[in-house]
Amino acid sequence: MPSDYPSSDNPFEALSEESDDARWAFGTGFDDPLAGIDPSVPDGVDRGALAAYCLMLGDDALVMSHRLQEWCTHAPELEEEVALANIALDLLGQARLLLARAGVAEDKGRGEDDLAYFRDASDFRNVGLAEVENGDFAHSTVRLLLFATWRLALLDRLTTSRDPVLAAIAAKGVKEVAYHRDHAALWTVRLGDGTDLSHERAQLALDDLWPHTGELFTAHEVERLLADAGVAVDPAGVHAEFDAVLDEVLSRATLRRPEPVPAHLAGRDGAHSPALAGLLTEMQSLARDHPGAAW
């Protein structure tokens, strides 16, 4: 933490201490998330494609993080509220790193805040699964299971990316998302193999969310290009791992796996449901109403 930040053994006293940094707020920091890392783009790697790929992964994390944050004060028990908040913060941290990397790669003077707060829905590249509105607790639990199982498989393979920055981000993310997946799996089993009502809600959630899984394994042209260059991961290559994990969890949860659905690509090309626009209106409102403000 910078030396001009308040410091105190008592965090409540620290709130009232003077600081030369007008932006200081308790519990926050404004450092460049890529500080200390060489941001150079490897030779032979298309900068535009790398930026687009980091936007895809960063937008996935940012949008999913916001959906999980919406559970604050609404979770069924305090322990779960803390867990969901921590998972959301993990994903927000991943989003910061990936959007910062995208800004450096595209070299247009945009930083993480510009990319998070000043793009419209059609400019976002997240998968549709992340933006679906929250339903009940079972719905969000099953969505997290699907999302984290897929993302963990991607990040695990990205740890060997030719882009050292992307590889480092993935290595950190693997540890976080492994917990996300296991947490969601335990809750899915608890709900699916619980009461008749909890089982019914978990099955309805799975049936509702399953059509969004086809997009997860359909490679975008950017992903194919960078996969051939050893930078990205072809998502089709993680389908078998996803299936194996889901089969195990759903079997323990006594849930029926839905029938396969045709894959369709939408979010990666900027086609989204109205749910994303609503999410962004809430998430971006303060930054857009007071651009450049510090507090």
Short mmCIF file of all heavy atoms in Angstrom, two decimals, residues 31-58:
data_model
loop_
_atom_site.label_atom_id
_atom_site.label_comp_id
_atom_site.label_asym_id
_atom_site.label_seq_id
_atom_site.Cartn_x
_atom_site.Cartn_y
_atom_site.Cartn_z
N ASP A 31 -4.06 0.92 -7.20
CA ASP A 31 -2.85 0.60 -7.93
C ASP A 31 -3.18 -0.09 -9.25
O ASP A 31 -4.21 -0.74 -9.39
CB ASP A 31 -1.95 -0.32 -7.11
CG ASP A 31 -1.36 0.38 -5.89
OD1 ASP A 31 -1.33 1.63 -5.88
OD2 ASP A 31 -0.94 -0.33 -4.98
N ASP A 32 -2.28 0.07 -10.21
CA ASP A 32 -2.39 -0.66 -11.47
C ASP A 32 -2.32 -2.16 -11.15
O ASP A 32 -1.35 -2.62 -10.54
CB ASP A 32 -1.23 -0.25 -12.38
CG ASP A 32 -1.19 -1.01 -13.69
OD1 ASP A 32 -2.06 -1.88 -13.91
OD2 ASP A 32 -0.28 -0.73 -14.49
N PRO A 33 -3.32 -2.94 -11.53
CA PRO A 33 -3.30 -4.37 -11.19
C PRO A 33 -2.15 -5.12 -11.84
O PRO A 33 -1.78 -6.21 -11.39
CB PRO A 33 -4.65 -4.88 -11.70
CG PRO A 33 -5.07 -3.90 -12.73
CD PRO A 33 -4.54 -2.57 -12.27
N LEU A 34 -1.55 -4.54 -12.90
CA LEU A 34 -0.44 -5.20 -13.58
C LEU A 34 0.91 -4.60 -13.17
O LEU A 34 1.92 -4.86 -13.82
CB LEU A 34 -0.60 -5.09 -15.10
CG LEU A 34 -1.83 -5.79 -15.69
CD1 LEU A 34 -1.85 -5.62 -17.21
CD2 LEU A 34 -1.87 -7.26 -15.32
N ALA A 35 0.92 -3.79 -12.10
CA ALA A 35 2.16 -3.17 -11.64
C ALA A 35 3.21 -4.24 -11.34
O ALA A 35 2.92 -5.26 -10.71
CB ALA A 35 1.90 -2.32 -10.40
N GLY A 36 4.42 -4.02 -11.82
CA GLY A 36 5.51 -4.96 -11.58
C GLY A 36 5.59 -6.09 -12.58
O GLY A 36 6.47 -6.95 -12.48
N ILE A 37 4.69 -6.11 -13.56
CA ILE A 37 4.68 -7.17 -14.57
C ILE A 37 5.06 -6.57 -15.92
O ILE A 37 4.58 -5.49 -16.29
CB ILE A 37 3.28 -7.81 -14.68
CG1 ILE A 37 2.89 -8.47 -13.34
CG2 ILE A 37 3.23 -8.85 -15.80
CD1 ILE A 37 1.48 -9.03 -13.33
N ASP A 38 5.92 -7.23 -16.65
CA ASP A 38 6.28 -6.78 -17.98
C ASP A 38 5.08 -6.97 -18.91
O ASP A 38 4.68 -8.10 -19.18
CB ASP A 38 7.48 -7.57 -18.49
CG ASP A 38 7.92 -7.13 -19.90
OD1 ASP A 38 7.32 -6.18 -20.44
OD2 ASP A 38 8.86 -7.74 -20.44
N PRO A 39 4.49 -5.88 -19.42
CA PRO A 39 3.27 -6.00 -20.22
C PRO A 39 3.52 -6.22 -21.71
O PRO A 39 2.57 -6.20 -22.49
CB PRO A 39 2.58 -4.65 -19.98
CG PRO A 39 3.73 -3.69 -19.87
CD PRO A 39 4.84 -4.45 -19.19
N SER A 40 4.76 -6.43 -22.09
CA SER A 40 5.08 -6.56 -23.51
C SER A 40 4.30 -7.72 -24.14
O SER A 40 4.13 -8.79 -23.53
CB SER A 40 6.57 -6.82 -23.70
OG SER A 40 7.33 -5.78 -23.13
N VAL A 41 3.81 -7.48 -25.34
CA VAL A 41 3.11 -8.53 -26.09
C VAL A 41 4.16 -9.39 -26.79
O VAL A 41 5.05 -8.87 -27.46
CB VAL A 41 2.15 -7.92 -27.11
CG1 VAL A 41 1.51 -9.00 -27.98
CG2 VAL A 41 1.07 -7.09 -26.41
N PRO A 42 4.10 -10.71 -26.64
CA PRO A 42 5.10 -11.58 -27.26
C PRO A 42 5.19 -11.38 -28.77
O PRO A 42 4.19 -11.06 -29.43
CB PRO A 42 4.59 -12.99 -26.92
CG PRO A 42 3.76 -12.80 -25.69
CD PRO A 42 3.11 -11.47 -25.84
N ASP A 43 6.37 -11.56 -29.30
CA ASP A 43 6.59 -11.43 -30.74
C ASP A 43 5.68 -12.39 -31.50
O ASP A 43 5.49 -13.55 -31.10
CB ASP A 43 8.05 -11.75 -31.09
CG ASP A 43 9.01 -10.69 -30.56
OD1 ASP A 43 8.55 -9.57 -30.27
OD2 ASP A 43 10.21 -11.01 -30.42
N GLY A 44 5.12 -11.89 -32.58
CA GLY A 44 4.29 -12.72 -33.44
C GLY A 44 2.85 -12.87 -32.99
O GLY A 44 2.06 -13.54 -33.65
N VAL A 45 2.49 -12.26 -31.85
CA VAL A 45 1.12 -12.34 -31.35
C VAL A 45 0.34 -11.11 -31.80
O VAL A 45 0.80 -9.99 -31.62
CB VAL A 45 1.09 -12.45 -29.82
CG1 VAL A 45 -0.35 -12.41 -29.30
CG2 VAL A 45 1.77 -13.73 -29.37
N ASP A 46 -0.79 -11.33 -32.40
CA ASP A 46 -1.63 -10.22 -32.87
C ASP A 46 -2.19 -9.45 -31.67
O ASP A 46 -2.93 -10.00 -30.85
CB ASP A 46 -2.79 -10.80 -33.71
CG ASP A 46 -3.65 -9.72 -34.34
OD1 ASP A 46 -4.37 -9.03 -33.59
OD2 ASP A 46 -3.62 -9.59 -35.58
N ARG A 47 -1.83 -8.16 -31.57
CA ARG A 47 -2.23 -7.35 -30.42
C ARG A 47 -3.76 -7.22 -30.33
O ARG A 47 -4.35 -7.31 -29.26
CB ARG A 47 -1.61 -5.96 -30.50
CG ARG A 47 -0.11 -5.92 -30.48
CD ARG A 47 0.39 -4.47 -30.45
NE ARG A 47 0.11 -3.87 -29.15
CZ ARG A 47 1.00 -3.77 -28.18
NH1 ARG A 47 2.24 -4.22 -28.36
NH2 ARG A 47 0.67 -3.20 -27.02
N GLY A 48 -4.39 -7.00 -31.48
CA GLY A 48 -5.83 -6.84 -31.48
C GLY A 48 -6.54 -8.10 -31.04
O GLY A 48 -7.53 -8.04 -30.29
N ALA A 49 -6.05 -9.25 -31.49
CA ALA A 49 -6.67 -10.52 -31.11
C ALA A 49 -6.47 -10.79 -29.62
O ALA A 49 -7.39 -11.25 -28.93
CB ALA A 49 -6.08 -11.66 -31.93
N LEU A 50 -5.27 -10.48 -29.11
CA LEU A 50 -5.00 -10.69 -27.68
C LEU A 50 -5.90 -9.80 -26.84
O LEU A 50 -6.47 -10.24 -25.83
CB LEU A 50 -3.53 -10.39 -27.37
CG LEU A 50 -3.12 -10.51 -25.90
CD1 LEU A 50 -3.39 -11.92 -25.36
CD2 LEU A 50 -1.65 -10.13 -25.72
N ALA A 51 -6.08 -8.55 -27.25
CA ALA A 51 -6.96 -7.63 -26.53
C ALA A 51 -8.39 -8.16 -26.54
O ALA A 51 -9.08 -8.14 -25.51
CB ALA A 51 -6.90 -6.24 -27.15
N ALA A 52 -8.85 -8.63 -27.69
CA ALA A 52 -10.21 -9.15 -27.80
C ALA A 52 -10.40 -10.38 -26.91
O ALA A 52 -11.45 -10.53 -26.27
CB ALA A 52 -10.52 -9.49 -29.25
N TYR A 53 -9.40 -11.23 -26.86
CA TYR A 53 -9.50 -12.45 -26.05
C TYR A 53 -9.54 -12.11 -24.57
O TYR A 53 -10.34 -12.68 -23.81
CB TYR A 53 -8.32 -13.37 -26.35
CG TYR A 53 -8.39 -14.71 -25.67
CD1 TYR A 53 -9.47 -15.57 -25.90
CD2 TYR A 53 -7.38 -15.14 -24.81
CE1 TYR A 53 -9.54 -16.81 -25.28
CE2 TYR A 53 -7.44 -16.38 -24.20
CZ TYR A 53 -8.53 -17.22 -24.44
OH TYR A 53 -8.59 -18.45 -23.82
N CYS A 54 -8.70 -11.17 -24.14
CA CYS A 54 -8.70 -10.76 -22.74
C CYS A 54 -10.02 -10.09 -22.37
O CYS A 54 -10.50 -10.22 -21.24
CB CYS A 54 -7.53 -9.84 -22.45
SG CYS A 54 -5.92 -10.68 -22.49
N LEU A 55 -10.61 -9.36 -23.32
CA LEU A 55 -11.93 -8.78 -23.08
C LEU A 55 -12.96 -9.87 -22.86
O LEU A 55 -13.82 -9.76 -21.98
CB LEU A 55 -12.35 -7.91 -24.25
CG LEU A 55 -11.85 -6.46 -24.29
CD1 LEU A 55 -12.41 -5.75 -25.52
CD2 LEU A 55 -12.22 -5.71 -23.03
N MET A 56 -12.90 -10.92 -23.65
CA MET A 56 -13.85 -12.02 -23.50
C MET A 56 -13.79 -12.60 -22.09
O MET A 56 -14.80 -12.69 -21.38
CB MET A 56 -13.55 -13.13 -24.52
CG MET A 56 -13.79 -12.76 -25.96
SD MET A 56 -13.25 -14.11 -27.07
CE MET A 56 -13.57 -13.36 -28.67
N LEU A 57 -12.59 -12.96 -21.67
CA LEU A 57 -12.42 -13.58 -20.36
C LEU A 57 -12.69 -12.58 -19.23
O LEU A 57 -13.25 -12.94 -18.18
CB LEU A 57 -11.00 -14.14 -20.23
CG LEU A 57 -10.62 -15.25 -21.20
CD1 LEU A 57 -9.16 -15.65 -20.99
CD2 LEU A 57 -11.52 -16.47 -21.03
N GLY A 58 -12.29 -11.33 -19.45
CA GLY A 58 -12.53 -10.31 -18.44
C GLY A 58 -14.00 -9.98 -18.28
O GLY A 58 -14.50 -9.80 -17.17
#
